[in-house]
Amino acid sequence: MVSLEQLPHPEYLPYPNHYTAAFFENGEEALKAIEELEDYGYSDEDFNVFEGNKGVDAIDLEGSHHTLLENYMRKFIKFSDSAEWRFLHEADQEIRNGHVLICVPTPSSKEKEEVVDAFKRYGGYDIRYFTPLYIEEVVL
């Protein structure tokens, strides 16, 4: 049995490629979803976990941990009031409130459906599917 602490806790959110993300009230719910997805063949390395202070730093709402160019991009995203900015702002608040954000690569529709179903089953909320061009809010 894997623990949440053993899973990857990256320094930054993944680049908006094809992945699905959801918030969970606590680590226990997130871990149940992860365990189910591992039964489908996902591995520990497929999950990005954002929680606590390290999660807030990885979201980096103000861009203070970014390079100069990344910092300018963060400011552009903020002032354009894009879906990405709204997600970053929500993620910052959720993690500060003790919740957990899990991101999983989902390059195919089948994988997206598997991940969304597992997230829903274990209390995942505000589920989003990211592509390089848009962010889709998954309607429950």
Side-chain angles (χ1 to χ4, degrees), residues 32-82:
K32 288 177 187 174
I34 288 167
E35 288 172 347
E36 179 175 317
L37 290 168
E38 286 186 334
D39 288 344
Y40 292 152
Y42 292 84
S43 69
D44 288 356
E45 294 76 34
D46 290 324
F47 303 98
N48 289 317
V49 178
F50 301 92
E51 62 179 336
N53 290 334
K54 189 170 181 182
V56 170
D57 287 345
I59 299 299
D60 195 18
L61 199 58
E62 296 303 318
S64 58
H65 303 292
H66 287 73
T67 65
L68 184 61
L69 179 59
E70 291 166 336
N71 188 298
Y72 283 129
M73 286 304 297
R74 179 71 79 198
K75 289 181 183 349
F76 174 77
I77 291 166
K78 178 179 181 178
F79 291 114
S80 67
D81 194 33
S82 65

Side-chain angles (χ1 to χ4, degrees), residues 9 13 22 38 40 42 52 57 76 83 89 96 98 117 134:
H9 287 66
L13 273 175
E38 286 186 334
Y40 292 152
Y42 292 84
D57 287 345
F76 174 77
H89 190 268
R96 286 178 191 277
D117 288 345
Y134 66 92

